[in-house]
Amino acid sequence: MSKEMKLPGFDIDLKNNSHGPVTCLGMEFENDEDRRDHFTELLREKLKNPEFREIEGFPIGEDEDILALSDPPYYTACPNPFLDQIVIDSANNKKRKQDSKTAFSDDLTGSKHGRIYNVHTYHTKVPPEAIAPLIKHYTEPGDIIIDPFAGTGMTAVAVAQCNEENISEQPRRVILNELSPIASYIASHYSHSIERPNNLIKSLEEKIESTFEDCKKYYRTLHNGWPANIARSQKVKPQNRDCSPDEYGVIIYTVWSDVYVCPECGEEFTYWEEAVKLFHCQVLDVFKCPTCSVNLCKEPKFVKKGPAQLIERATETWFDPIVKSALLRHKRKPVLISYEYGGKRYEKYPSQEDFDIISSSDTLYSDVEAVPMIFKGEAWGDTWRAGVHLGVTHVHHFYTNRNLYAMALLRNKLKNRKLWFALTSAALRLSKMNRYMPQHRGNRSREVVGPLSGTLYIPAIGIEVNPIQYIKSKIKDIKKLWEHSFPNNSFCSTQSATNISQLPDSSIDYVFMDPPFGANLFYSELNFLWEWWIGLFSNRSPEAIISPAMNKSIYDYKSLMGLALKECVRVLKSGAWLTMEFHNSKNVVWTAINEALQAAGLVVADVRVMDKKKGTTKQLTFSNSVKQDLIISAYKPNGGLEERFIQKAGTEDGAWEFVRTHLSQLPVFVSKGQKLEILAERQNFLLYDRMVAFHVQRGVSIPLSSAEFYNGLIQRFSERDGMFFLPDQVVEYDKKRITVREIEQLSLFITDENSARQWLRERLGDKPQSFQELHPQFIRDIGGWSKNEKSLELSTLLEQNFLCFLGEGNVPEQIHAYLSSNWKDMRNLEKDDPVLKAKAKDRWYVPDPNKAGDLEKLREKVLLKEFEEYKQAKKKLKVFRLEAVRAGFKKAWQDKDYAVIVKVAEKIPNKILEEDPKLLMWYDQSVTRIGD
């Protein structure tokens, strides 16, 4: 490859190629093939060892599939047995010693745009540009980094970018660990050099052409349509034209529509014909039955709005040639064909010949394994939806029969499994999950929008893309990726993060992780389609998710994440750092992560915000989804602190020894523009929390009360703007403090429902905001809910205490005032102006005092309903909603139901009752009234 072919950010490794001597883990080989053969034989022998196969997360599949996919030692489709050698080899070559680091203190951004980045889709990816600054900050050249939840290997891409900047120094190495075989397979392509990429591309192109010749008769259509650009500019439905019987075009995609049944007359009709107004780029919520003219709708929410009757999908029986059985499935029909003829795009309605071709392809037998959609002994899992997945009992049912035939034919022709990357990169777009949205048709032909991310949803209007044409269109991007030069400094392993036993203790310099968060995504289930194509499946037992289908609760999730974090602490060197990207809208998951971090022995030092610029489909669609992620920085206490602490454990000196060390790890000064940012970790309450956690996790008694600790802070350390500093730090802070004009307002710390309401009132009083804007701030300011206080989600707090503008009617005065004051183009606009309404939509705001009464009544109703549950409880209340108890006591007092107050008071802890003046007042008075 010539130097001109190199893409920015990557260097060409001239030593490691298939044509000359290569060095790998201290060994010399004549070429890359010899290297691969040598380590493949070692891996083959390792697979014969029963103990090796017992490593947690060992994938489900055949040994030959593991060996065929692997490229050892750089990538193994099973636990990588060479990780210990990688550590030893790195230690022998390392020239620099890691310096002491403080927490990374800048917010991060990264873009999800880019053809290379999106060559192969995945459910979640952290942009490498957002990881690279962390790599630079926390590591030095020659260090070893591990990503225990590596996904598709973006950490390796970030490391390659950092190495490019330090090309004259010892390169950093990265270990990518991933439970999913398909994720580690994708990561191997993003993180390793591909030898002779032009030869691979040529082979791929030849196999694609050969496959096209074998199955082109199933993707041809009579040339009787109309030019696509003309059709899109017209508002009337054009007719298919007459044509010569021997003129055929190549199908690009076929639009399919579900068939429904009218509940009134029982007649069948296609959703496309009645609800879709194609040339008006519109899909109707309510439409009429073509036979009886009754109003119909597909979604239950439109039944009352219509009014309309709810329709159901029609069904049909077909013979599946792969499972060799008759099955019931939803009835679908092709309704529109986009094709190419003479280098131009055309559209048409399916003719009888098209129907005949599709009917004949339904009998095709594909040489694929019939794998059921089975999880934990039950059909399907968490993504199954009644009314959507009828008849989808096996993986191959996600494909039309002709697409399945063509894809399987191509896979069998691609003997080199590196080339399967082209197939898996297209696998989702070629499935029935590919969506067609006519409402986007007028926007530069973007009606083909792809599958809905994070689910296995089959839409009512879908796209069947010609697989040969689509994979051919991806070759250019795949070639660019393969022409990247990734010096072989990354190593992929396929196993659980809960036990990476191949790595020695204290051998890793830095950990970056973007783990699964609760029930956000069910990775192994979503990966099932991809993994079916490569023949290896995820071992789901150690998967850290909240899954009703697998009976995994928040406690199981916290336990598995705790094991993974403890493993990270084991392999981390003393004083080294771990960075976690956090993405979840539920603070119960945030609390679980915090507890798991502390239980593992890590000390949290900072929480930052990362903006990925472009969200997932769910983030862009749903108003209560989170669009910004948090970056949590935590460190493993160094050996010196641990040794000193052991000597002073349980004493005041031991507590202050921890505080001094912790302060030395924190950023000293952070500003944005001319505004100083208050560092929460330097405030007294968080310093106390960190000190307490450090003692508790080591089984040591806490020597100081909070009052004693706060007084001791003032005596021992310098205080500036509510933050505490070491002597040398305060000098630096004072010098930089004079460079900023204003100070960020101190955040109210959230510990219960009442403080959360105050916090939201402060945030929304001057600046109405969306859920997405509020959530990262909210999560960052949660200090841990009071022990007995029921934790509430942000969405619940907003719904019960504030108002949201949904885009209907005039923009409220509170939002109008904010927007007109902060955006020039919003000034002088009427409150019903569409531009203003679009900007105001989904913003939460503080209710007008004159209208707040109705909202308060609604909130009180919810609280009293919860209080009724407390009245019926037969045991002591350990966790409850204090605001509900207050509302219930108030209502009972008004009703003179004093016995209820006494009864519920006996169920809550005495400490809570005694420390709340309102509750205590009602209780004491009630006891007096009933003469107890």
Side-chain angles (χ1 to χ4, degrees), residues 805 811-812 815 819 835-844:
F805 177 62
V811 174
I815 302 179
L819 293 179
V835 175
L836 184 69
K837 291 172 71 172
K839 189 75 173 178
K841 191 174 184 295
D842 293 329
R843 290 180 184 266
W844 290 88

Side-chain angles (χ1 to χ4, degrees), residues 19 139 152 204 208 307 391 544 563 584 674 708 798 834 844:
H19 302 297
T139 69
T152 56
L204 177 61
I208 288 174
L563 290 173
N584 198 287
Q674 292 295 312
E708 291 170 334
L798 287 170
W844 290 88

